[in-house]
Amino acid sequence: MNIHGGENPLKKTIPMSHKVDRRSFLGWTTGSLLATSVFPGTGRPSGSAEIPEGQFQSGKLVLPPAPVGIFPKPHEMEELPDRFLVNEETTIILPKAASKNDRRLSRFLTDELSNRYGITPRVLQVSTLPEGDHFILMGSIDNPLVQRYCRQHRPDISARNPGPEGYFLQVGNDAVVVAGSDDRGAFYGLQSLRQLIRKEDDKLQIRGVQVRDWPDKHFRGVYLYLPGRDNIPMFKRFVSDVMAQYKFNKLMMEMNACMRFDSHPELNEGWVEFTRDTNYSRFNYPPGPLHGRDQNSSHQDCGDGGFLEKAEVADLVQWCEQHEIEVIPAIPSLTHSFYLLTKHKDLSEVPGDKWPDTYCASNPKSYKLLFEVMDEFIEVVKPGMVHACHDEWFAPFGLCPCCKSKDPGEVYGHDLIKIHEYLANRNINMAIWGDYLLERVRGKGLRKHVTHDGWVYYSPGAMTPKQVKELVPKDILIFNWFWQLRWSGESNEALLDDFGFRQIYGNMQPDIREYPQRIKRPTIIGGAPSAWEATNEFNFGKDLMGSFLGCSSLLWSTDELESPQLSSTVQASIPSLRGSLRGEAPPSETGDPVVPIDISPSFNAPLRQSAFSVDLGNMQTGRVTVGSRVFDLAPSSKSGGEGIIMVGTEGETPNPLPREAQGIKIGEDATSLIFLHACARPATNKDAYRLIWDMDDSADLLGWYEVIYEDGLPEVIPIRYGVDLLEWNWRQQPHRGAYCYAADEVMCGQGEGSPISFFALEWENPRLGKVIREVNLRGSTRFRGAVQGFENAFGGIVPNNAVILKAISFVRGRVGQ
């Protein structure tokens, strides 16, 4: 993984190859930013790479006031001194003849205030604007109350100004108004309004602003897998609280055989067999390819390896539509067709594969099967566009007798024509990945390979320019994942333009070089970052929020967020992001007291540790409060100078530190424990798709806590890098983009060159009523996590490291009345 992100400062040349895949490209472009993210209301204004400099006052870390937080950054915004107070007397007004959209906006905001803040506003239908009353008004320019407000207060709002999906937002002391150029604009104005709601001084307030805003690009998408049944609630929260709030409007959802088919139930059975065989074999790629050659990536984690009922899929589509998001089903065709061929191996382009990935494009039965499956997806999703994929044509060509004498470029082109005609007859547009349209990306002609056992085969290169011009319908939308400059990205864009295609940045990342200049090309209509891993909170939380939000900033406002700025703002945003994905508050935020525990008797190491260059000499002592969490940072002992608990993570060589710390006394029936900890040096948090059969271990395991109850039963809490902690001086390297998803940063002092950062990990007790006797801390031994690439193997043993524990607090249980 390239942890430096974007254009490698070492300028290492990576040659184009027909075997490069989309996910490899992601690793080379940004290294997933090590799960970088952006969030409003933290850090400094755009353009500054510095972090807010905190100061300790009476043991409490005090940061400078955060700027008004709307993300993506609006095109025009003025901050006002006003504050609109929200309480039970707040009124949302609707016109007498309220439209469906007016009611939807009202219901959305009412649910937001009720679910998040426990306040339910009144909703009234009125014929005139209230005078002097406290009201919230939301709607498009077609709303008669919005029209009247605009006439009286003269904001110049019309269908053309700001334009499609644009909005005007004003928050004053007495009124909040969202006026959209259209229904979508009003919806996006509401999303900005949501981000201004804050609890300050125990009062719920909306910060005063005047905003005029509109999108730069009208295709703002995310590519992901259909969720499995257990992850449907999380998927819905991701749609409402991430995609909608940050103004995405397209969702490419890869389907495979993850929906029950009436016409071909055998495909659902085959999909489950295929995913189990691949995972149970501990493989990222399927077992049993002919001569052990490389196949397409298998995507066996789509649908969590299972399938949903049609009603469940229809419900997901409806949920997206309610949030102004168009669902574009991604239905792999030609390549990545494992799901079609598990029970139809006679249609394979490669006889002899255990799990074929490519169908024979010269066999009419292939299209009968494909179109019957597409019919069922179209019936349920009712899409305006289908993404037909068509990338990574790695299969040996010419083994199938039907295709042996044909030109692969013509085979590819005629396959596109058949699918395009099928969709066009149903008034459905088509999209594909565009790598096989460019010889610069996939090479010319047949490409020679030799397997480990000496077998020679040939796979197709790209279509010739003549074939592209003559065979490929030009209304197909091209997903361009080969946009990186070192791979002649601008030239690739220009060539697609010359061919007559519209395109979007596929596998988009926030660090596209020279983005402001490149997007002036009118045929580039937007972009979409991708999630090539199971749709769940763990994966999205640790790997993808930076890509999603950073790209949102580019697509809506063209605001480029440099990697240092991403890194310096993300960690303070994690509580809100995590709350959005989890959908619940931790016990420490429910009003119960947080009580520090004295763990100083278990300290076993000084604040300075030469073996790992740890220097915590300037760490704050005494009580530190961050939000609702309270910690006691005990001073070092006077006898031996011990000031922390430190255990070693052992890699290839012996670690000089103790491997465990036992008997850290708790003695409480705690609702939760909060560990304030860090590690000694950086480790890795690789993308979950690098280790599909064991995704948790894609983040390095540095150790674990053993929570021991009074009855002796232990509970184990893993400690993973990038999930549960980072190194104590992580802000010295903000360009790395790392963040800690499951724990919140607590600045514990000012070290030499950077703050001393520890991370508060809250663990919720699953056995309420049982006293926790003690906690043990243990370091891992010779842990092997994910590979850098996509091999069917674990990676190397992680280097030596250490887990540093400074404090533990607990949330006290409630006393019954």
Side-chain angles (χ1 to χ4, degrees):
M1 176 180 291
N2 168 23
I3 64 172
H4 299 286
E7 302 288 339
N8 193 318
L10 300 179
K11 300 297 183 185
K12 179 180 177 182
T13 301
I14 299 175
M16 285 304 284
S17 163
H18 67 290
K19 278 296 180 70
V20 170
D21 60 37
R22 298 182 309 269
R23 300 197 295 190
S24 297
F25 180 86
L26 272 179
W28 286 328
T29 52
T30 63
S32 294
L33 295 177
L34 290 179
T36 302
S37 177
V38 192
F39 208 76
T42 59
R44 292 180 184 266
S46 176
S48 170
E50 297 181 88
I51 59 170
E53 184 176 347
Q55 295 182 340
F56 285 97
Q57 296 180 5
S58 302
K60 185 171 184 177
L61 183 65
V62 179
L63 295 176
V68 171
I70 295 179
F71 188 90
K73 181 181 176 182
H75 286 85
E76 299 176 8
M77 182 174 74
E78 177 185 358
E79 185 173 355
L80 305 176
D82 300 36
R83 294 291 186 271
F84 183 92
L85 296 180
V86 182
N87 52 42
E88 299 290 349
E89 301 302 314
T90 299
T91 303
I92 299 174
I93 60 172
L94 297 173
K96 289 290 188 181
S99 70
K100 180 180 178 181
N101 189 60
D102 294 333
R103 295 182 183 277
R104 180 186 61 149
L105 297 174
S106 171
R107 184 169 57 252
F108 198 119
L109 182 58
T110 298
D111 290 346
E112 174 88 358
L113 294 174
S114 176
N115 295 340
R116 288 183 182 267
Y117 305 106
I119 291 177
T120 303
R122 299 179 300 175
V123 179
L124 296 179
Q125 291 184 265
V126 298
S127 54
T128 61
L129 292 173
E131 292 188 9
D133 279 351
H134 215 57
F135 68 86
I136 298 173
L137 168 62
M138 301 174 291
S140 75
I141 198 63
D142 293 330
N143 179 311
L145 295 178
V146 171
Q147 292 175 1
R148 186 165 301 177
Y149 181 88
C150 291
R151 284 197 302 268
Q152 291 179 5
H153 298 272
R154 302 196 177 281
D156 185 12
I157 307 298
S158 67
R160 294 185 177 182
N161 185 7
E165 300 184 287
Y167 66 92
F168 169 83
L169 166 64
Q170 187 167 46
V171 178
N173 290 325
D174 298 318
V176 174
V177 177
V178 173
S181 287
D182 52 22
D183 285 347
R184 277 195 167 185
F187 181 78
Y188 294 134
L190 170 57
Q191 303 314 307
S192 293
L193 175 62
R194 292 174 67 190
Q195 298 179 50
L196 298 173
I197 303 172
R198 307 282 174 84
K199 201 157 194 178
E200 299 175 352
D201 301 325
D202 292 327
K203 296 178 181 178
L204 195 62
Q205 306 180 52
I206 304 177
R207 294 189 177 189
V209 294
Q210 182 168 294
V211 174
R212 183 186 297 269
D213 201 12
W214 62 90
D216 182 68
K217 295 294 181 183
H218 291 283
F219 193 111
R220 306 180 302 281
V222 169
Y223 189 109
L224 50 69
Y225 294 158
L226 183 72
R229 181 167 291 114
D230 291 345
N231 284 300
I232 286 176
M234 175 270 167
F235 170 84
K236 288 187 170 183
R237 292 192 295 271
F238 172 72
V239 167
S240 63
D241 292 340
V242 178
M243 286 195 68
Q245 188 160 197
Y246 302 114
K247 305 179 177 70
F248 287 102
N249 63 1
K250 311 286 183 184
L251 178 61
M252 282 61 66
M253 188 150 60
E254 188 168 316
M255 311 301 281
N256 295 306
C258 301
M259 180 186 80
R260 185 185 295 278
F261 297 129
D262 296 328
S263 61
H264 289 283
E266 78 280 2
L267 297 185
N268 302 123
E269 177 188 357
W271 174 253
V272 172
E273 291 176 3
F274 163 69
T275 61
R276 284 178 178 170
D277 192 34
T278 305
N279 285 329
Y280 291 177
S281 299
R282 279 70 166 167
F283 281 176
N284 285 327
Y285 291 85
L290 191 65
H291 291 278
R293 74 182 198 287
D294 293 336
Q295 285 186 280
N296 290 158
S297 48
S298 54
H299 302 184
Q300 73 259 30
D301 41 340
C302 184
D304 291 340
F307 56 92
L308 301 180
E309 301 297 333
K310 286 185 174 181
E312 292 174 305
V313 176
D315 178 64
L316 297 181
V317 173
Q318 183 181 31
W319 181 262
C320 292
E321 290 173 346
Q322 290 172 359
H323 293 83
E324 298 292 355
I325 294 169
E326 175 189 357
V327 174
I328 299 172
I331 307 173
S333 52
L334 183 62
T335 59
H336 290 282
S337 293
F338 296 104
Y339 74 103
L340 285 174
L341 302 176
T342 55
K343 297 294 185 179
H344 295 272
K345 296 177 184 178
D346 56 308
L347 302 180
S348 172
E349 177 71 13
V350 184
D353 277 342
K354 182 180 183 181
W355 300 110
D357 60 4
T358 305
Y359 61 67
C360 173
S362 299
N363 189 335
K365 292 181 180 179
S366 297
Y367 296 98
K368 183 177 186 298
L369 176 63
L370 174 65
F371 293 155
E372 286 173 353
V373 166
M374 281 190 169
D375 281 344
E376 296 205 41
F377 281 127
I378 289 169
E379 175 191 14
V380 172
V381 181
K382 299 176 176 57
M385 176 179 284
V386 165
H387 194 308
C389 301
H390 267 75
D391 60 320
E392 299 177 9
W393 195 9
F394 298 160
F397 188 80
L399 300 185
C400 167
C402 298
C403 301
K404 192 169 186 177
S405 61
K406 296 182 179 181
D407 180 279
E410 292 186 3
V411 171
Y412 187 92
H414 286 294
D415 180 74
L416 286 176
I417 290 171
K418 291 182 182 120
I419 298 171
H420 180 271
E421 182 179 339
Y422 162 85
L423 293 172
N425 287 339
R426 291 157 178 78
N427 296 315
I428 298 172
N429 295 315
M430 180 175 172
I432 62 169
W433 299 102
D435 42 324
Y436 279 89
L437 306 182
L438 299 181
E439 291 178 328
R440 184 185 291 116
V441 178
R442 289 303 183 192
K444 299 180 180 181
L446 291 171
R447 314 287 291 180
K448 181 180 178 180
H449 310 273
V450 181
T451 62
H452 294 297
D453 62 3
W455 182 58
V456 177
Y457 72 97
Y458 295 85
S459 68
M463 301 177 75
T464 67
K466 183 174 184 291
Q467 290 171 335
V468 174
K469 291 175 182 177
E470 294 179 355
L471 294 177
V472 183
K474 300 306 178 290
D475 61 349
I476 295 177
L477 178 64
I478 305 303
F479 277 53
N480 169 1
W481 60 263
F482 31 87
W483 41 259
Q484 194 182 25
L485 288 183
R486 75 169 67 123
W487 285 352
S488 304
E490 284 193 85
S491 297
N492 294 334
E493 295 161 14
L495 188 52
L496 290 175
D497 198 349
D498 291 342
F499 283 144
F501 295 111
R502 295 178 308 147
Q503 59 186 295
I504 71 159
Y505 287 123
N507 279 358
M508 188 179 185
Q509 288 293 325
D511 59 348
I512 297 178
R513 287 291 184 90
E514 301 176 13
Y515 179 81
Q517 290 72 41
R518 294 166 71 175
I519 59 167
K520 293 177 182 177
R521 189 181 298 277
T523 54
I524 299 177
I525 65 171
S530 301
W532 297 112
E533 53 196 37
T535 300
N536 61 48
E537 184 219 338
F538 180 82
N539 292 348
F540 280 26
K542 81 180 188 69
D543 289 346
L544 292 164
M545 303 313 293
S547 295
F548 293 153
L549 299 181
C551 290
S552 165
S553 180
L554 293 179
L555 293 168
W556 182 273
S557 66
T558 72
D559 191 29
E560 291 184 283
L561 298 167
E562 296 295 330
S563 188
Q565 185 184 3
L566 286 173
S567 187
S568 68
T569 60
V570 59
Q571 190 62 53
S573 314
I574 286 303
S576 296
L577 286 170
R578 191 175 60 242
S580 292
L581 293 183
R582 289 185 178 173
E584 60 183 10
S588 63
E589 295 179 9
T590 59
D592 293 324
V594 178
V595 183
I597 295 172
D598 181 12
I599 66 169
S600 61
S602 295
F603 285 170
N604 66 355
L607 295 177
R608 292 183 172 89
Q609 222 291 336
S610 59
F612 292 98
S613 301
V614 172
D615 185 356
L616 306 177
N618 291 330
M619 176 174 274
Q620 171 84 4
T621 59
R623 183 151 295 193
V624 172
T625 301
V626 179
S628 59
R629 294 169 175 174
V630 181
F631 299 97
D632 271 345
L633 307 188
S636 299
S637 68
K638 294 182 179 180
S639 56
E642 294 87 357
I644 52 177
I645 300 172
M646 197 171 188
V647 302
T649 295
E650 189 160 283
E652 292 274 14
T653 60
N655 193 314
L657 297 176
R659 304 302 321 291
E660 61 185 20
Q662 296 194 52
I664 305 169
K665 300 300 180 184
I666 304 298
E668 297 285 351
D669 169 16
T671 303
S672 66
L673 295 179
I674 309 170
F675 300 92
L676 187 64
H677 60 188
C679 57
R681 55 173 55 157
T684 66
N685 169 28
K686 300 184 183 74
D687 301 285
Y689 59 72
R690 310 276 184 184
L691 202 63
I692 299 174
W693 71 90
D694 180 19
M695 290 186 175
D696 284 359
D697 281 330
S698 60
D700 287 354
L701 178 72
L702 301 184
W704 61 89
Y705 294 107
E706 293 174 350
V707 176
I708 310 298
Y709 292 96
E710 60 184 349
D711 53 16
L713 183 68
E715 188 83 21
V716 174
I717 308 168
I719 305 171
R720 300 185 186 279
Y721 184 81
V723 180
D724 306 302
L725 47 55
L726 295 173
E727 63 274 18
W728 65 276
N729 59 347
W730 77 284
R731 286 189 176 274
Q732 283 187 354
Q733 297 179 299
H735 63 278
R736 293 193 320 109
Y739 74 81
C740 177
Y741 172 69
D744 303 333
E745 183 183 22
V746 179
M747 293 186 188
C748 297
Q750 182 64 41
E752 198 169 316
S754 74
I756 296 172
S757 298
F758 272 52
F759 299 86
L761 173 68
E762 185 162 358
W763 167 81
E764 191 164 350
N765 183 6
R767 302 183 74 204
L768 298 179
K770 299 291 186 180
V771 171
I772 297 171
R773 186 176 70 218
E774 62 189 20
V775 168
N776 302 323
L777 171 59
R778 303 185 188 276
S780 62
T781 302
R782 298 177 65 83
F783 171 79
R784 297 175 64 198
V787 292
Q788 299 284 358
F790 300 95
E791 297 84 0
N792 288 324
F794 283 102
I797 296 172
V798 301
N800 285 358
N801 209 325
V803 177
I804 309 166
L805 176 63
K806 180 60 181 177
I808 299 177
S809 295
F810 75 99
V811 176
R812 193 184 298 280
R814 298 181 183 180
V815 179
Q817 299 296 321

